Amino acid sequence: TQVLTLFPYTTLFRSEGRRVAVPLSAVARLEEFELSQIERAGTLRVVQYRGQLLPLVRIDDHVAGGDPDAAWPELVRVVVYTEGGRTVGLVANRIEDIVDDRIVIERRSSEPGILGSVVLQERVTDVLDVAAILDMAGTDVSTPALAA
């Protein structure tokens, strides 16, 4: 079994019936936006956020079991994810918890967008491969945000 230790702090949220996690070190904020605040910029959905356009990526659109045709909720919950000084909003159905625990992935996944699965708080949790999800979405966090 290949064991991969990822990170000690985790943000847990729900996405289309599955529990998923990302490293807390890459989470800038947890936000909620009214659906009316979400606009289009080219093919992306964006929200004006802190003087910039924040691209939004709905995780359900890019992992198995998600429904890309599902309607967006009236209240959109977003994990503001930052990598290398660039930012993108990961849209979640519900933000559940922040866990201070080390994650060791013993079961790696071949599913696009998922690094593997772990047990956190006695529940199976999928660990997102955010870079792969952003590649699938065509959203590059290395691209500078546009001023709003």
Side-chain angles (χ1 to χ4, degrees), residues 27-80:
V27 175
R29 294 183 58 86
L30 304 175
E31 298 283 356
E32 292 181 338
F33 300 102
E34 297 291 329
L35 183 58
S36 61
Q37 293 176 270
I38 297 174
E39 303 176 69
R40 289 236 182 228
T43 59
L44 295 176
R45 291 189 190 236
V46 298
V47 67
Q48 294 181 40
Y49 179 74
R50 297 183 172 206
Q52 297 183 335
L53 297 180
L54 176 68
L56 299 177
V57 175
R58 202 163 57 163
I59 295 163
D60 292 348
D61 293 350
H62 304 287
V63 296
D67 181 4
D69 296 324
W72 285 57
E74 289 300 315
L75 185 62
V76 179
R77 291 167 179 86
V78 175
V79 177
V80 180

Side-chain angles (χ1 to χ4, degrees), residues 104-136:
V104 178
I105 296 178
E106 294 184 21
R107 183 192 162 277
R108 301 289 304 254
S109 175
S110 60
E111 179 183 343
I114 303 294
L115 288 173
S117 301
V118 298
V119 176
L120 281 174
Q121 298 176 327
E122 301 180 7
R123 303 203 36 219
V124 174
T125 304
D126 290 331
V127 179
L128 291 182
D129 181 347
V130 178
I133 290 171
L134 297 179
D135 284 346
M136 287 184 275

